[in-house]
Amino acid sequence: MIPRVRPRGADVREVLRYLLGPGEYGEHRDQRLVAAWAAAAVGGVAGLPSASSPGAAGRLAGLLEQPVFAGVNPPAKPVWHCSVHNHSDDPVLSDEQWAQVAAAFLDGVGLAPVGDLAAVRWVAVRHGEDHVHLVATLVRQDGRTVWPRNDYRRCQSVAREIEERLGLRPGIRTPAAAGVGHG
């Protein structure tokens, strides 16, 4: 697996519009949410706006931003974004497997520890067979800001664990592919 932590952003709507839209070259196909934060998952990801419904990016962004607006000391750039790609020789993972991968990454980075219902809000968007995008806002639902440290290294560690567990090929760890310096 090849995780790429992107530079932090200020506008979650912009990120979601891109991920749920057609892409720069029309490459995004069958855009869908495969996982979300724990409280949203109580009703199932199906309880969130459908990725294909008009205005989905705006409605979903509004839900992700609620803790940021209510936070005590929200960061100027509260959007954390990481893409996770499979090696081209790996089998295609199901939506359920990508949901497990997403939860493992958010747990491993420390943004949404398993079982922490007050953790940050996040979603996993899939628009291709070989990868998923993780988007989170950096204010927990209890109002505290999360300042991720060593998120690039933590993502690499989680990727190695998942590769071993699922029998996947190790990802190529080059600075350009892995997003070194972006998190």
Side-chain angles (χ1 to χ4, degrees):
M1 302 201 111
I2 305 165
R4 183 174 179 205
V5 177
R6 309 296 175 118
R8 297 221 173 81
D11 190 349
V12 72
R13 276 179 178 75
E14 179 182 318
V15 174
L16 291 173
R17 274 191 208 115
Y18 171 73
L19 295 176
L20 298 176
E24 289 182 42
Y25 307 103
E27 71 276 15
H28 296 176
R29 305 241 189 283
D30 193 22
Q31 302 90 319
R32 61 204 178 273
L33 299 177
V34 295
W37 69 95
V42 171
V45 176
L48 294 174
S50 167
S52 62
S53 67
R59 289 193 311 278
L60 190 55
L63 293 170
L64 289 170
E65 290 174 326
Q66 285 176 352
V68 176
F69 294 142
V72 176
N73 182 27
K77 293 186 175 184
V79 182
W80 186 86
H81 177 196
C82 177
S83 59
V84 181
H85 293 256
N86 263 0
H87 188 280
S88 60
D89 293 337
D90 282 336
V92 174
L93 299 180
S94 68
D95 284 353
E96 292 77 23
Q97 288 172 309
W98 278 119
Q100 292 171 2
V101 167
F105 270 88
L106 273 290
D107 178 50
V109 172
L111 295 175
V114 173
D116 184 354
L117 296 179
V120 303
R121 291 186 178 187
W122 61 273
V123 292
V125 178
R126 185 175 183 190
H127 57 214
E129 289 187 346
D130 67 342
H131 69 283
V132 69
H133 290 264
L134 313 175
V135 179
T137 49
L138 297 176
V139 178
R140 294 170 44 90
Q141 294 182 83
D142 60 12
R144 294 182 293 149
T145 297
V146 176
W147 302 98
R149 301 285 184 242
N150 299 315
D151 45 347
Y152 167 75
R153 284 191 186 101
R154 288 179 174 197
C155 282
Q156 291 297 319
S157 177
V158 172
R160 303 298 78 83
E161 291 170 12
I162 293 170
E163 290 163 354
E164 188 173 316
R165 184 167 31 100
L166 297 180
L168 303 174
R169 289 179 53 115
I172 300 167
R173 296 184 262 314
T174 65
V180 170
H182 296 297

